[in-house]
Amino acid sequence: MNASRTVIAVLNGPNLNLLGERDPEVYGTATLTEIEKLCLETADRLGFDVDFRQTNHEGVLIDAIHEVRRTAAGVVINAAALSHTSVSVRDALAVVDGPVVEVHLSNIHRREAFRHHSFVAEVADGIVTGCGARGYAMAVEHVAHLAAEEATA
Ligand code: DHK
């Protein structure tokens, strides 16, 4: 595997810094720090490092995608509300070299109609939705699997 592409970027959008205190019945009780730890442990087990970030700003999220798009082995992204609104985030993800897996803590299809469509989903290789914090581990695992597959292709 290419040594410069062993990092999985895990990118988080608006309001996810409030996990643990924000609507725990919808998003669960795990904090973003706990989710970061879960991602680090999962990736480490599979031989990858993690670059874990959160921002409340669309442009900062796009800059983060640009920053990692050529260097990361793949991207796990919970763009949160921006998933439903941002063509710019979608377009940035479309030019990521490695696999992209979208994750949502809640099952967006069981919620309000405005959450049913995700621009991110249009450019994602996989989607994990409704599996809570564990969904991040599943998404990291899948990115690692796809990245390893790509590296041996
Ligand atoms: C997180 C949010 O903040 C919402 O805006 C999305 C997503 C769902 C989640 O379930 O992780 O609609």
Side-chain angles (χ1 to χ4, degrees):
M1 183 177 302
N2 181 338
S4 67
R5 298 193 57 203
T6 56
V7 173
I8 295 174
V10 181
L11 307 178
N12 295 279
N15 301 308
L16 294 172
N17 53 311
L18 299 180
L19 286 178
E21 50 179 295
R22 171 190 180 215
D23 294 337
E25 64 293 338
V26 176
Y27 298 110
T29 53
T31 64
L32 199 60
T33 305
E34 289 165 345
I35 290 175
E36 177 174 10
K37 189 165 174 272
L38 177 64
C39 291
L40 289 168
E41 285 167 0
T42 306
D44 184 55
R45 197 163 36 80
L46 299 166
F48 289 84
D49 296 319
V50 165
D51 179 354
F52 193 93
R53 307 185 194 194
Q54 188 275 331
T55 177
N56 291 322
H57 307 280
E58 183 172 9
V60 175
L61 184 59
I62 292 163
D63 286 343
I65 296 166
H66 289 180
E67 237 181 83
V68 303
R69 77 183 186 94
R70 286 200 178 284
T71 54
V75 173
V76 169
I77 183 161
N78 184 350
L82 291 172
S83 319
H84 317 302
T85 62
S86 180
V87 175
S88 315
V89 169
R90 176 228 181 268
D91 285 354
L93 289 167
V95 289
V96 166
D97 281 354
V100 174
V101 173
E102 175 179 28
V103 61
H104 294 287
L105 293 145
S106 63
N107 179 352
I108 58 172
H109 300 291
R110 266 177 67 172
R111 300 186 61 196
E112 303 96 320
F114 67 84
R115 296 185 203 273
H116 294 178
H117 176 261
S118 165
F119 285 105
V120 171
E122 293 171 13
V123 292
D125 296 290
I127 305 163
V128 182
T129 187
C131 299
R134 221 158 53 82
Y136 276 77
M138 294 159 74
V140 165
E141 252 184 48
H142 194 53
V143 162
H145 170 77
L146 293 176
E149 235 177 28
E150 253 180 36
T152 54

